[in-house]
Amino acid sequence: GVAELVEGLLGLIPAATPGTSGGTEPRGTVFAVRPGPAGERTAYLRLYGGEVHPRRRLTFLRRESDGRTTEVSRRVTRLDVVGGDATLTAGNIAALTVPGGLRVGDRLGGPTDRAPQFAPPTLQTLVRARHPEQAAPLRSALLALADQDPLLHARPAASGATALLLYGEVQMEVLAATLAEDFGIEAEFTPGRVRFLERPAGTGEAAEEMPWLDRTRYFATIGLRVEPGPRGSGGAFGYETELGALPRAFHQAVEETVHDTLRTGLTGAAVTDYRVTLIRSGFSSPLSTAADFRGLTPLVLRRALARAGTVLHEPYQAFEAEVPADTLAAVTALLASLGADFTGTTGGDPAWIVTGELPARRVREAELRLPGLTRGEAVWSSRPCEDRPLKPGNSGPGTGVGGHSGE
């Protein structure tokens, strides 16, 4: 299979376009990250166009777990081009080191059609170290692994735990084995739960002007509008206030706090596909600090989000089941009771092929019950697809029922 592998690599990896090295902005992708002995991380960059020189400042686009695209601006402190050249040119690969490090999947330059697209993770869990003295090494190991694997999403959580977004139970088992074998850390995972998402249902606004709230005086004026964004856009933040009305540090404090706050919505799920706009702002010099804006932003944002309302969504999986002809009725009855929406039934002799979409939280139950209904002769496969609004009567995170929430 070596010859076929080489042929496949030559066909799949794009060749450098002639004449794209000079005079154009660099475009490339970080395809690997390796940790060093002193904790530094070396990123491997494949360049498709333009040039990269040592000490140059580069801006990478990073796709977050909620769909947002953030900019990461770094200056290259070390550049080792494969082949020994001093400058990285189109079609070549280099190992580079930048302050703060990079992640696998970070893109240099604008988005392209070749940018990888992954379905959002459908499971969430908390992981803790079995031995308390390994808590800090565990968090460092998970963040390092997340930099190397674009399918792993990790962030700090309360009580010293680390929150993980995963694609399945198998990924959790592989991660536990990796932590034990490569880092010597014994980790404990909470049972995986289906990850729900909230999306704004309408538009809501709220504002506060130098208020006394929670027995605290905030020397800040903030007005925010929350509205739905395009599907798959994650989150966006914009301004309608006059340019220069706030110092840059205050602007940054508001924007960062908005995205951090919307990690938890009205029902406890993360909010996605939203657009938040700063519609009013003010400060009192020299009393105002960035802490005033970080403290007031969540209060105003929560009020605007409640007025907009949210719709809770749950992930679905597209399935295909091949079952013996005499078990079709029993299988379709089972899938219907689990909330499946059928998209097709074909065949009949000697087997039926049933296709449709099923809530991700019911897939495991279908997999466990299917062998008993089909004498072990069924063939089942499923893959993530788009999420849908949670149907009335079904429970969501932290609520008795899902659906529309308003003030």
Side-chain angles (χ1 to χ4, degrees), residues 378-393:
V379 178
W380 170 274
S381 64
S382 63
R383 57 176 177 80
C385 61
E386 289 190 355
D387 52 29
R388 298 185 184 182
L390 188 66
K391 297 179 181 179

Side-chain angles (χ1 to χ4, degrees), residues 103-195:
R103 298 179 186 175
V104 171
D106 287 352
R107 302 193 309 275
L108 180 61
T112 65
D113 295 338
R114 301 189 61 88
Q117 299 293 330
F118 300 106
T122 57
L123 290 180
Q124 57 186 0
T125 184
L126 291 178
V127 57
R128 293 181 174 87
R130 183 168 299 173
H131 306 290
E133 64 273 13
Q134 293 184 329
L138 171 62
R139 178 166 294 180
S140 298
L142 289 173
L143 295 177
L145 291 173
D147 288 342
Q148 301 173 35
D149 186 356
L151 300 183
L152 178 63
H153 306 276
R155 63 179 178 85
S159 305
T162 301
L164 296 180
L165 300 180
L166 304 171
Y167 287 83
E169 299 288 345
V170 174
Q171 187 183 9
M172 189 186 305
E173 297 173 3
V174 172
L175 183 58
T178 301
L179 290 171
E181 296 174 4
D182 296 351
F183 297 91
I185 299 174
E186 297 183 33
E188 295 180 339
F189 295 81
T190 61
R193 298 185 296 113
V194 171
R195 184 192 183 210

Side-chain angles (χ1 to χ4, degrees), residues 37-49:
E40 74 280 4
R41 294 196 295 271
T42 299
Y44 292 85
L45 175 67
R46 169 72 157 85
L47 199 66
Y48 302 125

Side-chain angles (χ1 to χ4, degrees), residues 209-242:
E209 183 174 355
M210 305 288 177
W212 284 94
L213 294 173
D214 296 334
R215 291 173 289 183
T216 301
R217 180 63 186 265
Y218 293 104
F219 291 98
T221 295
I222 297 176
L224 296 172
R225 179 170 64 243
V226 179
E227 55 192 332
R231 189 65 174 255
S233 62
F237 183 82
Y239 306 91
E240 283 186 2
T241 55
E242 183 180 354

Side-chain angles (χ1 to χ4, degrees), residues 8-384:
L9 291 175
L10 293 176
L12 292 174
I13 297 179
T17 304
T20 59
S21 293
T24 61
E25 288 298 318
R27 295 181 298 102
T29 302
V30 176
F31 65 89
V33 174
R34 295 290 181 267
E40 74 280 4
R41 294 196 295 271
T42 299
Y44 292 85
L45 175 67
R46 169 72 157 85
L47 199 66
Y48 302 125
E51 293 181 348
V52 174
H53 305 274
R55 307 300 303 172
R56 177 174 179 175
R57 177 171 291 276
L58 303 175
T59 299
F60 293 84
L61 299 180
R62 177 175 297 171
R63 182 80 168 178
E64 304 290 353
S65 60
D66 61 359
R68 286 187 297 124
T69 299
T70 58
E71 290 188 355
V72 180
S73 183
R74 300 284 189 267
R75 186 178 298 279
V76 178
T77 57
R78 182 176 67 88
L79 183 69
D80 295 331
V81 180
V82 175
D85 294 336
T87 300
L88 175 61
T89 56
N92 293 317
I93 294 173
L96 67 156
T97 303
V98 299
L102 297 171
R103 298 179 186 175
V104 171
D106 287 352
R107 302 193 309 275
L108 180 61
T112 65
D113 295 338
R114 301 189 61 88
Q117 299 293 330
F118 300 106
T122 57
L123 290 180
Q124 57 186 0
T125 184
L126 291 178
V127 57
R128 293 181 174 87
R130 183 168 299 173
H131 306 290
E133 64 273 13
Q134 293 184 329
L138 171 62
R139 178 166 294 180
S140 298
L142 289 173
L143 295 177
L145 291 173
D147 288 342
Q148 301 173 35
D149 186 356
L151 300 183
L152 178 63
H153 306 276
R155 63 179 178 85
S159 305
T162 301
L164 296 180
L165 300 180
L166 304 171
Y167 287 83
E169 299 288 345
V170 174
Q171 187 183 9
M172 189 186 305
E173 297 173 3
V174 172
L175 183 58
T178 301
L179 290 171
E181 296 174 4
D182 296 351
F183 297 91
I185 299 174
E186 297 183 33
E188 295 180 339
F189 295 81
T190 61
R193 298 185 296 113
V194 171
R195 184 192 183 210
F196 292 82
L197 293 172
E198 291 185 41
R199 289 184 172 87
T203 301
E205 296 183 358
E208 287 287 352
E209 183 174 355
M210 305 288 177
W212 284 94
L213 294 173
D214 296 334
R215 291 173 289 183
T216 301
R217 180 63 186 265
Y218 293 104
F219 291 98
T221 295
I222 297 176
L224 296 172
R225 179 170 64 243
V226 179
E227 55 192 332
R231 189 65 174 255
S233 62
F237 183 82
Y239 306 91
E240 283 186 2
T241 55
E242 183 180 354
L243 186 64
L246 286 180
R248 179 177 176 82
F250 297 170
H251 272 294
Q252 185 174 354
V254 174
E255 182 173 357
E256 291 177 352
T257 306
V258 162
H259 294 309
D260 289 341
T261 302
L262 292 181
R263 289 179 176 176
T264 305
L266 302 179
T267 65
V271 184
T272 188
D273 297 342
Y274 59 85
R275 179 172 180 80
V276 177
T277 305
L278 183 66
I279 58 176
R280 189 176 178 186
S281 65
F283 68 102
S284 177
S285 178
L287 299 176
S288 297
T289 66
D292 292 311
F293 288 85
R294 293 186 186 277
L296 181 59
T297 296
L299 304 176
V300 177
L301 181 60
R302 289 287 182 188
R303 191 180 308 162
L305 184 64
R307 290 172 178 172
T310 61
V311 177
L312 192 62
H313 290 69
E314 66 171 327
Y316 270 65
Q317 291 203 5
F319 68 86
E320 179 178 294
E322 182 179 341
V323 301
D326 60 334
T327 64
L328 176 64
V331 170
T332 54
L334 166 66
L335 294 174
S337 69
L338 297 178
D341 293 327
F342 298 100
T343 57
T345 304
T346 58
D349 186 20
W352 287 95
I353 297 179
V354 183
T355 59
E357 296 181 353
L358 184 68
R361 57 189 168 86
R362 310 305 296 270
V363 169
R364 183 58 177 165
E365 184 177 353
E367 293 173 343
L368 293 175
R369 297 178 60 182
L370 201 59
L373 295 176
T374 61
R375 304 180 297 275
E377 300 178 16
V379 178
W380 170 274
S381 64
S382 63
R383 57 176 177 80

